[in-house]
Amino acid sequence: MFSGEKICTLLEQLGVTHVVTVPDSTIGRWQAAIKERGTPSLVRVCREGEAWQVAAGLQLGGAAPLVLIQCTGLLESGDAIRNALHDFGLPLFAIIGYRSYLNQDTLPGDTCLVFTEPTLDAWKIDYRLITMLSQFDDIGAHFIACRDAGKPGAILLAEGKA
């Protein structure tokens, strides 16, 4: 939906120091731009639950990390989210790819569409759903609102055919 360069520029403007991520088919394409640019730093981890814990450590050390994962990884991350966001009270922010959201008509039955938003609600993560290019500015606005409120937040980025 958005180019890696455009996302890099936004993250740099927002003061994000590290992007902690697991490769993904859609948002994973941003990794080359993030790595090439060098700011924010790209931190690849093996599992999405690990991404939250690495981001938590960076946050505790004074950095401003962002978690970049797909919704399937969100579903895998429950205990890490509980620990980082609720036990430690860290206001981590994430961009989460929402698998199959834009092609529900051609890929019916993907249960990511059933469980992703209720999972974010259950973990009390304030999120915004981005489904159109015209919503790009909403990403930064929501990041700033969550940062200023000192609470966790997420962007749920629709994936699939555009």
Side-chain angles (χ1 to χ4, degrees):
M1 181 180 284
F2 305 112
S3 73
E5 189 58 37
K6 190 169 186 169
I7 290 295
C8 282
T9 298
L10 174 64
L11 297 179
E12 192 172 2
Q13 290 170 347
L14 294 172
V16 172
T17 58
H18 298 80
V19 174
V20 186
T21 189
V22 175
D24 168 65
S25 58
T26 300
I27 56 177
R29 288 182 244 166
W30 299 345
Q31 289 186 25
I34 295 168
K35 183 178 179 183
E36 182 176 317
R37 194 168 183 154
T39 303
S41 295
L42 181 66
V43 180
R44 292 187 179 111
V45 294
C46 297
R47 302 281 309 212
E48 290 82 355
E50 181 185 15
W52 294 97
Q53 293 304 309
V54 169
L58 288 164
Q59 181 97 16
L60 290 169
L66 177 135
V67 172
L68 179 65
I69 59 175
Q70 191 182 49
C71 63
T72 53
L74 170 73
L75 301 173
E76 184 264 350
S77 298
D79 192 47
I81 290 171
R82 180 197 54 77
N83 183 252
L85 304 186
H86 299 291
D87 290 349
F88 292 139
L90 297 174
L92 297 176
F93 198 86
I95 296 178
I96 301 166
Y98 199 172
R99 188 177 83 179
S100 302
Y101 187 89
L102 295 174
N103 52 352
Q104 297 177 39
D105 55 334
T106 56
L107 290 174
D110 187 338
T111 55
C112 285
L113 303 169
V114 174
F115 295 110
T116 298
E117 292 180 71
T119 297
L120 288 168
D121 291 336
W123 289 115
K124 300 180 177 18
I125 298 174
D126 186 5
Y127 68 93
R128 296 293 178 273
L129 175 60
I130 304 296
T131 61
M132 298 178 290
L133 291 170
S134 63
Q135 294 177 282
F136 181 78
D137 292 342
D138 295 350
I139 298 171
H142 187 55
F143 178 95
I144 291 168
C146 289
R147 181 185 62 199
D148 291 352
K151 65 180 184 179
I155 292 297
L156 194 52
L157 184 67
E159 295 181 342
K161 69 180 180 184

